[in-house]
Amino acid sequence: LLLILGTPVEIQRPRGVPLTSKKPFYEENKPFTCLDGSRTIPFDRVNDDYCDCKDGSDEPGTAACPNGSFHCTNAGYRPMFIPSSRINDGICDCCDTTDEYNSGAKCENTCKELGLKERDVLQKMAEITKEGFLLKQQLIEEAKKGREEKQGKVTDMQENKKQLEEKVEALRTVKETAEQPEKEAKERHLKAWEEQKAAIRLEKDKAKMAEAFLELDDNADGFVSVSELQSHAELDPDADGTLTETEVQGLMGGAAQVDTSTFESVWTNIKDKYHSEVSREEEPAPVETPPEEVKEPVVDNDSEPFPEDDISEEEDEDEDDEDDYHEDDDKVRVYITQKTGASINFSDLSFDFGPDAEFTYLYSQCYELTTSEYIYRLCPFNRVSQKPKYGGSETNLGTWGSWSGPENNKYLVMKYEHGTGCWQGPNRSTTVKLTCGKETVVTSTSEPSRCEYLMEFTTPAVCQEPANMDLLPHGHEEL
Amino acid sequence: TGSSCESWDVKLLQVSTFAVDRGNFKTCDQSAFCKRQRALKPGQSPYRALLETLELSDSRLTLQLINDNNKVHLLLELYRLQGNMTRVKINELKPLRPRFEVPDVLIAEPPTEPLSVLSKDDNGVVLSLGAKNQRLIVSARPFRLDIMQGPEVLLSLNSRGLLAFEHLRLHKDTDKEEDGLWEETFKSHTDTKPNGPTSISLDFSLPGVEHVYGIPEHADDLKLKTTDGGDPYRLYNLDVFQYELYNPMALYGSIPVMLAHNTQRTMGIFWLNAAETWVDISSNTMLDFVQGSSEKPQTDVRWISESGIIDVFIMLGPKPSDVFSQYASLTGTQSFPPLASLGYHQCRWNYNDQEDVKSVDQGFDQHDIPYDFIWLDIEHADGKRYFTWDPHKFPQPKEMLQGLMDKRRKMVAIVDPHIRVDSGYKIHNEITSKDFYVKNKDGRNYEGWCWPGNSGYPDFTKPEMRAWWSSMFAYDQYEGSMENLFTWNDMNEPSVFNGPEVTMHKDALHGKWEHRDIHNIYGLYVQMATAEGQTQRSGGVERPFVLTRAFFAGSQRYGAVWTGDNAAEWDHLKISIPMCLSLGLVGVSFCGADVGGFFKNPSTELLVRWYQTGAYQPFFRAHAHLDTTRREPWLFGPENTALIREVIRQRYALLPYWYQLLYQAHKTGMPVMRPLWVDYPKDTATFTIDDEFLIGSDLLVHPVTEEGSRGVTAYLPGAGEVWYDVHTFQKHNGAQNLYIPVTLSSIPVFQRGGSIIPRKDRVRRSSACMENDPYTLYVALSPKKFAEGELYIDDGHSLNYDTKKEFIHRSLTFANNALTSSNLCPDCNFLTSSWIEKVLILGASKPSKVLLKMDGKETPVDFEFDTSMSVLTLRKPGMNAGADWTLLLQ
């Protein structure tokens, strides 16, 4: 009879039972009651390689029960439970080799090595966490300052706006009292209105131009180059489907690159065709109906459509789009004027930069990772993009969506959505996983599903307050 | 993989409707020879047998036929084959050039039996077919053959006079310039047809037959439909992008074998021709049933092929199992696969890189789900140069393979037959220098577009080419390969993105033969050469595992087949059953469909249901298109992970049974996954069932394939038999429709009363890990308290079972309250450390005592009895699985 059963090695407790927690239930030579209480069996049926208990508790050291678990002590490393189906399956699972006592697998005890390695890793991690956490405190402090400053500005602006609104109100009162319309006055008014409209248009065009410049200047070197412009196929003058270098040079008046000032002439060439990369609805057409009567047009002296420090133009415009223009042109003007200035500050304040605003520093920054084929670019709270390393246009992998980490800490994952569409697939999107690090870097990218990207990103902003260093495992928990 | 060229075209056009573009594929009307042949009217046969030319030499009879319209002579050859078969060959007596006869399909020249002339007169000849009172009547005018048994006509040939044999001729001798005789254009492709018209056709009448099956591959019901008023079933291996269901359009593979069945007899027709073929089916029963006529039902079948000769094997049964063994004696049986390949396969187009492979592998362990193979699709190769690895994504293939080997798992990497034309590519350069590429009609290398771009197609019909291809799988040739790397042959129809109907031009040349002649067998050769390469790399010791998409008669000898690029839709789940059943009937047992559906994203419910269905089909692989979202089993929440884990575990527990059935298929040709009528041939209620099936004879599966289903009605066959629910052991009577309420966790499976199924209930992370585990025997008693089964054990991977008889094959019988294991192969030699840990006897009564009798000793065995379900459990009898023993219930 060829009976190859587990030859029990003499040890102080049933094989596979943890010393500390469950041992009391396994008393030698006393009937054993399944841990779920379902039945009681003679003790010689514990670990006899036949499953008697529904909960698998009679076979902690054999693979007999489908739902059993085996405990390895792993002295020098950390103890663990493995499914009992991994006992004697020819694969070394426990570093102390105890799971393979009868399979012929040649396992080596690697616990000491693993323990050292783990302690080393944990130590390094602890250091990183510690330093990272300090950095985080600085970030929080900076964010707080910045916020206060901006808040101050906003308050000023709001004050300003309020004054202007009062002025409008005053004008309206003037208008309402001047109840006798005269042809002359009307004409004058009309002319003034036209001028006013042109001024607004000019300003808006300037705004667009500046926005376009920032957008086109992919590498943010302060110049728009031929290649940067070339990625905008819609500018193709002969509409033959390809925008050649020569064509671009034509648009740029022969220059290889232009700065903000010289961009104006280029803008004249391209503004009718230029599409912003940021997907948006068409801007509402300017209001064409002049107000019936206004004595004096309001001159918006305080207009500041493009404060130089503003980088959030895109978001700003997006918000504008969502708002309906007011019927009343005066108000419109005031609104545009003021809102452009004020909302810039509102928009970045309106982001969720974390419980202590520790993510504020990421705003308006971009981080790149170059792989064998692509350059990936993460601009937190803005967008993720991918550009072939050796030429070719940039692909939008998603614009800022939301924090979407697990319930206990949503700030561990960022979601970027609604990127460029895929054939027969979804719009591209990117999940960014944040881990604690001293530096702010993109460490890896992948595309687990078609057009669903995964990015790993380290930042001090997610570093938790280091716990007591005593948490490092000791090699002597169990012997 | 595979989208085809169409996907490629469509991508360029940015069209995204989901359905086949039928316009890319020919109807019979658009295929000149089919149109010509179908225009012939029955009852006007111009063929006459010239009885005076009859020659009989032992087992071969020859006879000339003449076409009275054009005086062309044909040569008829008749053979009586051993095992109750008749072979009929018709060729031109003196063809202008030789006509193609398909090689490499028959495993040997079929052995014959003597024929004798019983009588002969001016009207015809009567021949004795030897056994069982069978006669063959040759009628002279018009020519006709009838196979009779006693007074009964079993089958007639040319009974409707649709024999038509287009003889080879010179262009200048063509009487009239008919369209499509010497040139034919479909869409932008012109077929030059230098040999002119060459098609052949023959009709068969099957009196008393209402049910015909087979001729895969079609996405259609199991029972073939009549084709009156529509297109015939088409057999022409094609890469069909996003195929539609329930129509006779051609798909990836062709097996020109049809089975005819009624309560009295099962027969088969094997039409050995590799050219484009169409099959018309008509029947007199549709009308008659309505009118209540008592006329005998009859099915008429007509085969039409574009070139070659008529070479048809008539398999006369009479039992279904006889037809299977008859066909197996001609074309061979299912290859016996490595045990691991019966486990679960995890595939996706594509696992992106080594890191991805590693994390998916770890995912299975984290979620405690077993699997055996992880697959790499076309993106793994360097620029779609097969036999290479992308240097960025898979820089260390051996390291990756070793990592899998450490977990006792395996990998499959794709190797397609289109070869990138690239002077920096070793495979291309060698094929070029050896002049192994298929040629175009002008004699230059044929080139077409496929995944790598411009590609050449090796001429797999050449034995030297195949030998070279096989040698490329040697470990020193296929860099980065190891013994746990296996192969997948896709796109071997062959798929040519810019070719006519997405395949090769018919006037391309394979040596002296046109692609027209060999088309349907190209894919078989690819898999043949690949499987041979895998065997060779191990010095002839290890079994190969190769999956193919295209196939032909005989492909069963080389590995597994899957149903190609299906979709994540409920109807595609349903159709997987008849598609694999049809393949099983004609020899291909190792069949499966992409679990989850290839195109599109399945709903969670569909995915779970598909796992539950796929786990009970022979080849069990999940696969997904590049454009789909990830769908590894643990991505749908813990409840669904648990459901999928559970069904994969059920699969693994049943691996001993699957393995034994594959061994049986390999030895006898019996299908593994079977329609019910195969085991219940007299029960007409089973004849059209294709939403449930048998695995072997002993497991009946009725998968849930309806969305939101709350219950299914399963037909349990067999009057006087009983079936046991495998999950609850509840007993049900046979010959009834049983309503089974279901939840998302239900998989209705029943074990036949009278059977014994061995299982390994200790499911581990891969099949290899379970090698030495003990067995549990599930003994399901018949009402007469009887049961029998088998147990087959070997090393699971080598050819030693064949070359050295290293296996254990035992018969298990329960009768007279004793369960006995006896040796079915006394001169076999294999040792196992597996033992019998438990015996469950379903439908038992409580014994007072149980004894194990072994080696002349009797020892008591502990037992438990569950009165409510009548289940007797014998605790740990402990005997070795290879030993002789008896368990006595007293």
Side-chain angles (χ1 to χ4, degrees):
Chain A
L1 174 63
L2 249 172
L3 259 185
I4 303 184
L5 298 176
T7 338
V9 179
E10 282 311 315
I11 41 172
Q12 301 306 306
R13 60 191 146 137
R15 192 194 295 277
V17 177
L19 250 184
T20 44
S21 55
K22 288 180 183 164
K23 194 194 168 240
F25 302 106
Y26 296 84
E27 259 190 278
E28 194 104 22
N29 301 325
K30 283 195 182 160
F32 171 76
T33 301
C34 306
L35 297 185
D36 64 359
S38 56
R39 65 189 293 190
T40 300
I41 54 171
F43 192 78
D44 62 7
R45 292 194 173 181
V46 171
N47 275 346
D48 71 338
D49 207 16
Y50 184 91
C51 191
D52 292 285
C53 297
K54 281 212 167 75
D55 66 353
S57 57
D58 63 315
E59 297 295 317
T62 79
C65 293
N67 51 349
S69 54
F70 176 85
H71 184 265
C72 12
T73 309
N74 292 345
Y77 186 51
R78 58 166 92 156
M80 65 177 185
F81 282 98
I82 59 167
S84 61
S85 64
R86 294 181 193 172
I87 300 170
N88 290 328
D89 67 348
I91 300 164
C92 310
D93 291 286
C94 299
C95 63
D96 65 4
T97 76
T98 50
D99 60 318
E100 297 298 315
Y101 57 85
N102 193 24
S103 69
K106 290 183 187 115
C107 302
E108 275 172 38
N109 190 322
T110 55
C111 291
K112 204 173 166 188
E113 206 176 290
L114 284 172
L116 285 173
K117 214 187 215 171
E118 190 189 47
R119 276 189 287 281
D120 199 39
V121 168
L122 286 176
Q123 197 119 36
K124 281 200 181 113
M125 281 211 355
E127 276 162 28
I128 290 170
T129 310
K130 202 174 150 192
E131 287 181 47
F133 188 70
L134 287 176
L135 287 171
K136 182 180 174 179
Q137 300 313 306
Q138 290 173 19
L139 293 174
I140 292 171
E141 204 47 47
E142 278 166 27
K144 201 173 156 195
K145 268 188 210 152
R147 199 180 169 86
E148 278 163 3
E149 249 168 53
K150 281 195 173 168
Q151 198 65 57
K153 260 193 193 170
V154 170
T155 317
D156 289 351
M157 294 269 192
Q158 277 170 335
E159 185 54 37
N160 212 341
K161 185 179 170 192
K162 201 178 156 203
Q163 284 172 11
L164 281 163
E165 270 164 359
E166 279 164 9
K167 203 168 163 189
V168 171
E169 202 46 46
L171 282 168
R172 191 189 303 282
T173 320
V174 173
K175 178 194 94 178
E176 277 165 6
T177 49
E179 275 300 330
Q180 293 181 353
E182 280 175 33
K183 202 183 171 191
E184 214 177 313
K186 214 171 186 175
E187 272 168 11
R188 189 159 40 96
H189 157 61
L190 206 61
K191 195 175 161 222
W193 162 244
E194 289 299 338
E195 282 167 4
Q196 181 60 33
K197 256 198 335 188
I200 292 171
R201 244 185 247 128
L202 189 65
E203 270 166 53
K204 286 183 78 172
D205 187 47
K206 270 189 187 163
K208 268 192 180 170
M209 180 179 83
E211 179 194 4
F213 184 87
L214 285 171
E215 242 182 59
L216 283 167
D217 182 14
D218 281 334
N219 56 2
D221 60 356
F223 295 98
V224 168
S225 68
V226 171
S227 64
E228 281 167 343
L229 200 57
Q230 211 172 345
S231 65
H232 282 259
E234 76 275 10
L235 303 178
D236 184 16
D238 58 2
D240 66 352
T242 48
L243 182 57
T244 65
E245 208 172 313
T246 328
E247 284 170 345
V248 174
Q249 277 165 353
L251 293 171
M252 293 181 63
Q257 55 178 35
V258 290
D259 60 13
T260 38
S261 56
T262 42
F263 183 66
E264 204 168 333
S265 60
V266 179
W267 177 243
T268 325
N269 291 335
I270 66 170
K271 64 181 176 188
D272 292 335
K273 288 183 179 171
Y274 179 80
H275 294 314
S276 170
E277 287 164 32
V278 181
S279 65
R280 60 168 72 183
E281 286 160 31
E282 283 296 305
E283 288 193 38
V287 183
E288 287 294 340
T289 326
E292 291 215 3
E293 22 183 71
V294 169
K295 293 280 184 204
E296 294 288 328
V298 176
V299 182
D300 32 27
N301 295 320
D302 299 315
S303 167
E304 246 192 84
F306 290 100
E308 291 194 353
D309 61 340
D310 170 41
I311 314 169
S312 68
E313 187 51 28
E314 289 170 14
E315 283 74 22
D316 168 49
E317 283 288 343
D318 283 346
E319 293 196 359
D320 267 357
D321 295 341
E322 283 155 24
D323 292 306
D324 290 324
Y325 282 76
H326 290 232
E327 294 282 326
D328 190 312
D329 217 56
D330 296 1
K331 275 194 183 165
V332 174
R333 263 171 284 149
V334 174
Y335 187 71
I336 292 170
T337 320
Q338 293 307 316
K339 183 161 190 240
T340 325
S343 65
I344 295 156
N345 296 317
F346 279 133
S347 65
D348 63 327
L349 289 176
S350 71
F351 279 105
D352 177 356
F353 287 140
D356 300 307
E358 63 268 43
F359 297 101
T360 313
Y361 83 105
L362 297 173
Y363 185 69
S364 83
Q365 300 297 313
C366 291
Y367 303 89
E368 285 188 353
L369 178 75
T370 305
T371 66
S372 57
E373 284 176 81
Y374 296 102
I375 300 164
Y376 290 88
R377 194 157 196 248
L378 166 66
C379 306
F381 306 102
N382 184 355
R383 64 202 291 259
V384 182
S385 60
Q386 174 203 54
K387 199 174 172 178
K389 213 163 152 185
Y390 307 108
S393 60
E394 192 183 74
T395 307
N396 181 353
L397 305 186
T399 49
W400 168 246
S402 59
W403 290 106
S404 51
E407 244 169 66
N408 59 357
N409 188 358
K410 66 171 178 170
Y411 299 103
L412 290 177
V413 178
M414 289 173 151
K415 189 87 191 161
Y416 293 81
E417 298 156 323
H418 310 300
T420 312
C422 275
W423 181 79
Q424 276 209 347
N427 280 34
R428 286 173 177 78
S429 64
T430 303
T431 301
V432 181
K433 283 192 179 164
L434 281 66
T435 48
C436 167
K438 285 186 276 186
E439 282 162 21
T440 306
V441 243
V442 177
T443 55
S444 79
T445 63
S446 58
E447 189 182 357
S449 294
R450 180 81 142 177
C451 303
E452 292 179 11
Y453 296 81
L454 180 67
M455 208 169 241
E456 311 247 357
F457 186 56
T458 63
T459 160
V462 294
C463 294
Q464 297 293 318
E465 185 161 15
N468 198 328
M469 292 297 277
D470 292 348
L471 279 184
L472 280 177
H474 297 286
H476 308 289
E477 200 168 281
E478 283 195 52
L479 288 169
Chain B
T1 310
S3 301
S4 68
C5 120
E6 291 313 302
S7 90
W8 185 75
D9 285 338
V10 168
K11 270 176 193 165
L12 293 180
L13 295 170
Q14 290 292 302
V15 172
S16 63
T17 50
F18 187 88
V20 65
D21 184 352
R22 285 177 184 240
N24 285 326
F25 302 102
K26 290 182 183 178
T27 61
C28 177
D29 254 7
Q30 291 167 320
S31 185
F33 77 93
C34 187
K35 186 178 181 183
R36 231 163 35 232
Q37 288 276 7
R38 235 187 171 197
L40 295 179
K41 295 279 174 292
Q44 300 168 5
S45 180
Y47 289 96
R48 180 159 55 88
L50 302 173
L51 296 179
E52 64 281 9
T53 63
L54 185 147
E55 284 178 40
L56 179 65
S57 59
D58 188 30
S59 59
R60 177 176 188 253
L61 178 144
T62 59
L63 180 66
Q64 288 182 28
L65 309 178
I66 185 168
N67 179 339
D68 278 326
N69 291 343
N70 58 16
K71 304 301 173 201
V72 171
H73 285 240
L74 303 179
L75 182 70
L76 167 77
E77 292 174 80
L78 279 173
Y79 300 89
R80 172 67 183 176
L81 303 183
Q82 287 178 20
N84 203 17
M85 289 180 282
T86 298
R87 181 181 192 176
V88 179
K89 270 177 98 164
I90 301 174
N91 196 351
E92 290 180 57
L93 181 64
K94 289 176 182 163
L96 204 57
R97 286 175 295 278
R99 296 181 66 119
F100 184 68
E101 299 188 34
V102 187
D104 301 312
V105 169
L106 301 177
I107 49 174
E109 198 51 39
T112 55
E113 280 177 353
L115 276 169
S116 59
V117 175
L118 290 177
S119 67
K120 182 178 171 185
D121 60 22
D122 288 351
N123 295 324
V125 185
V126 180
L127 298 162
S128 164
L129 287 177
K132 288 179 184 166
N133 198 16
Q134 276 180 13
R135 284 160 299 141
L136 176 67
I137 298 169
V138 183
S139 305
R141 185 192 290 263
F143 164 69
R144 167 186 173 127
L145 294 175
D146 293 278
I147 296 176
M148 315 268 302
Q149 178 156 328
E152 216 182 330
V153 179
L154 301 181
L155 175 137
S156 310
L157 282 73
N158 201 32
S159 49
R160 287 190 297 154
L162 295 169
L163 167 64
F165 206 108
E166 291 180 332
H167 63 284
L168 295 170
R169 64 202 80 182
L170 295 174
H171 198 164
K172 64 181 173 60
D173 297 338
T174 313
D175 306 337
K176 46 184 177 160
E177 201 57 48
E178 205 180 305
D179 263 4
L181 287 183
W182 294 90
E183 190 179 278
E184 179 175 351
T185 298
F186 177 68
K187 299 190 90 176
S188 60
H189 299 283
T190 298
D191 174 5
T192 58
K193 295 184 141 179
N195 296 333
T198 56
S199 75
I200 54 167
S201 161
L202 181 60
D203 69 273
F204 301 80
S205 292
L206 296 156
V209 169
E210 290 173 62
H211 295 86
V212 287
Y213 308 95
I215 55 168
E217 181 174 55
H218 300 99
D220 207 350
D221 295 329
L222 174 66
K223 177 192 183 305
L224 298 171
K225 294 164 183 156
T226 60
T227 57
D228 307 321
D231 253 14
Y233 283 98
R234 188 182 190 203
L235 295 172
Y236 191 57
N237 295 358
L238 291 175
D239 178 0
V240 182
F241 178 64
Q242 297 183 337
Y243 61 79
E244 274 178 35
L245 309 184
Y246 305 110
N247 70 53
M249 285 173 72
L251 286 178
Y252 313 95
S254 302
I255 301 183
V257 177
M258 182 184 284
L259 267 55
H261 176 73
N262 62 26
T263 54
Q264 302 304 311
R265 180 179 283 274
T266 309
M267 295 186 292
I269 297 169
F270 170 28
W271 175 266
L272 179 49
N273 188 298
E276 180 184 346
T277 296
W278 298 79
V279 185
D280 254 324
I281 297 168
S282 55
S283 158
N284 65 354
T285 55
M286 297 286 268
L287 269 174
D288 293 340
F289 271 138
V290 178
Q291 294 163 355
S293 159
S294 61
E295 193 196 336
K296 194 175 184 182
Q298 175 168 317
T299 297
D300 294 310
V301 180
R302 184 187 183 194
W303 297 73
I304 304 167
S305 291
E306 188 176 11
S307 67
I309 64 161
I310 293 173
D311 189 2
V312 56
F313 297 80
I314 296 152
M315 301 172 283
L316 291 166
K319 296 198 301 293
S321 57
D322 296 326
V323 176
F324 300 134
S325 68
Q326 285 155 4
Y327 181 63
S329 76
L330 298 173
T331 67
T333 58
Q334 177 64 55
S335 65
F336 188 35
L339 172 60
S341 65
L342 290 169
Y344 171 62
H345 298 260
Q346 182 68 37
C347 187
R348 171 175 182 82
W349 176 26
N350 213 98
Y351 286 120
N352 296 331
D353 49 30
Q354 281 177 224
E355 201 48 49
D356 200 359
V357 168
K358 196 172 173 182
S359 80
V360 171
D361 177 72
Q362 284 169 352
F364 278 93
D365 287 341
Q366 274 155 21
H367 298 91
D368 201 15
I369 299 173
Y371 89 96
D372 269 83
F373 281 82
I374 186 164
W375 292 52
L376 296 181
D377 208 323
I378 51 174
E379 312 298 332
H380 86 277
D382 182 13
K384 318 287 193 296
R385 295 172 188 89
Y386 307 109
F387 300 101
T388 72
W389 304 83
D390 184 300
H392 300 294
K393 299 168 184 164
F394 297 93
Q396 303 291 343
K398 283 195 177 178
E399 195 180 292
M400 170 176 66
L401 288 164
Q402 186 61 51
L404 292 169
M405 198 180 282
D406 292 345
K407 297 259 196 82
R408 308 183 75 176
R409 287 172 177 148
K410 298 164 177 62
M411 173 171 265
V412 169
I414 200 164
V415 174
D416 287 351
H418 49 259
I419 302 300
R420 180 167 170 152
V421 174
D422 169 5
S423 60
Y425 179 25
K426 179 184 90 172
I427 299 285
H428 166 71
N429 290 340
E430 289 205 28
I431 296 174
T432 307
S433 70
K434 292 177 192 295
D435 201 22
F436 281 158
Y437 276 125
V438 174
K439 302 283 186 268
N440 65 22
K441 62 181 185 333
D442 306 321
R444 281 169 298 137
N445 285 345
Y446 178 91
E447 287 180 3
W449 282 83
C450 209
W451 295 123
N454 199 26
S455 305
Y457 292 76
D459 188 353
F460 282 90
T461 67
K462 278 196 176 110
E464 319 83 79
M465 152 60 208
R466 294 199 299 272
W468 173 83
W469 179 267
S470 299
S471 74
M472 288 299 102
F473 288 89
Y475 296 119
D476 58 349
Q477 292 292 330
Y478 189 166
E479 279 176 40
S481 69
M482 281 173 52
E483 58 268 38
N484 65 337
L485 179 68
F486 296 83
T487 312
W488 169 19
N489 292 148
D490 195 0
M491 316 298 278
N492 51 340
E493 295 75 24
S495 180
V496 181
F497 290 171
N498 57 343
E501 301 191 84
V502 203
T503 192
M504 191 170 278
H505 292 72
K506 283 177 173 172
D507 53 11
L509 293 170
H510 301 258
K512 64 176 177 172
W513 301 112
E514 282 191 287
H515 185 69
R516 182 186 333 277
D517 300 312
I518 67 96
H519 176 83
N520 281 347
I521 200 179
Y522 185 86
L524 175 145
Y525 280 131
V526 176
Q527 193 190 18
M528 177 198 251
T530 304
E532 180 56 32
Q534 271 183 24
T535 310
Q536 277 176 18
R537 71 176 183 180
S538 69
V541 173
E542 297 294 321
R543 287 174 230 170
F545 172 71
V546 182
L547 178 72
T548 182
R549 192 170 70 180
F551 51 82
F552 189 62
S555 284
Q556 70 270 16
R557 305 192 297 260
Y558 308 112
V561 160
W562 97 107
T563 62
D565 300 343
N566 61 1
E569 292 174 354
W570 288 91
D571 277 348
H572 273 268
L573 168 58
K574 286 188 193 105
I575 208 79
S576 71
I577 300 172
M579 286 180 83
C580 280
L581 286 176
S582 296
L583 275 163
L585 289 175
V586 297
V588 179
S589 266
F590 204 7
C591 169
D594 284 347
V595 169
F598 178 66
F599 291 111
K600 312 217 297 183
N601 293 307
S603 68
T604 303
E605 184 190 358
L606 175 59
L607 185 68
V608 169
R609 289 304 190 198
W610 211 318
Y611 269 100
Q612 292 173 342
T613 305
Y616 286 91
Q617 293 176 351
F619 177 58
F620 181 28
R621 182 186 73 153
H623 187 31
H625 189 276
L626 184 70
D627 288 334
T628 61
T629 49
R630 285 284 178 138
R631 54 168 96 139
E632 285 71 47
W634 51 87
L635 296 175
F636 302 87
E639 295 88 0
N640 296 301
T641 305
L643 291 172
I644 295 171
R645 177 193 299 121
E646 167 57 24
V647 70
I648 296 180
R649 281 168 164 245
Q650 287 179 24
R651 167 67 170 220
Y652 274 76
L654 277 169
L655 282 178
Y657 182 60
W658 282 105
Y659 196 48
Q660 171 210 321
L661 289 173
L662 262 298
Y663 180 72
Q664 185 192 37
H666 175 59
K667 283 293 170 191
T668 68
M670 279 301 284
V672 169
M673 178 177 164
R674 305 173 188 168
L676 271 60
W677 62 260
V678 167
D679 282 82
Y680 299 87
K682 292 187 185 306
D683 183 352
T684 53
T686 64
F687 290 3
T688 57
I689 291 178
D690 62 7
D691 59 352
E692 68 180 52
F693 54 89
L694 290 165
I695 302 169
S697 299
D698 301 339
L699 281 185
L700 178 94
V701 186
H702 189 112
V704 182
T705 57
E706 295 283 345
E707 184 168 18
S709 180
R710 297 182 164 214
V712 297
T713 301
Y715 179 71
L716 304 182
E721 294 194 22
V722 293
W723 293 87
Y724 297 87
D725 184 315
V726 299
H727 310 295
T728 63
F729 305 135
Q730 195 183 343
K731 189 161 78 178
H732 302 280
N733 289 324
Q736 66 153 327
N737 281 304
L738 178 70
Y739 180 78
I740 307 148
V742 299
T743 64
L744 195 52
S745 68
S746 312
I747 315 160
V749 181
F750 300 88
Q751 183 176 345
R752 188 176 59 83
S755 67
I756 301 175
I757 293 181
R759 288 200 215 169
K760 282 190 174 178
D761 282 335
R762 303 182 180 191
V763 174
R764 302 191 189 246
R765 66 186 132 193
S766 72
S767 64
C769 293
M770 296 161 65
E771 186 186 354
N772 298 318
D773 279 341
Y775 291 89
T776 296
L777 303 179
Y778 286 76
V779 181
L781 297 184
S782 72
K784 290 179 179 163
K785 306 291 174 198
F786 175 82
E788 60 184 344
E790 290 177 15
L791 177 60
Y792 175 88
I793 307 172
D794 64 15
D795 67 12
H797 56 85
S798 79
L799 292 161
N800 295 347
Y801 75 94
D802 189 36
T803 53
K804 299 181 182 167
K805 289 206 139 194
E806 288 183 1
F807 64 89
I808 291 166
H809 196 192
R810 313 229 25 120
S811 156
L812 304 167
T813 311
F814 185 97
N816 305 318
N817 278 322
L819 175 62
T820 304
S821 170
S822 52
N823 202 344
L824 285 171
C825 185
D827 59 336
C828 283
N829 168 36
F830 186 74
L831 291 179
T832 178
S833 45
S834 294
W835 47 287
I836 311 295
E837 68 169 326
K838 195 195 279 195
V839 179
L840 266 80
I841 304 176
L842 316 180
S845 27
K846 187 177 181 180
S848 56
K849 170 159 96 169
V850 179
L851 291 174
L852 170 64
K853 244 174 91 173
M854 197 172 165
D855 301 327
K857 279 179 271 182
E858 288 190 0
T859 41
V861 174
D862 282 328
F863 65 88
E864 278 173 39
F865 186 72
D866 175 349
T867 322
S868 66
M869 282 293 160
S870 302
V871 177
L872 176 66
T873 305
L874 309 187
R875 185 188 189 280
K876 208 181 173 189
M879 51 283 191
N880 183 276
D884 288 324
W885 49 264
T886 298
L887 282 163
L888 293 166
L889 312 188
Q890 293 178 335

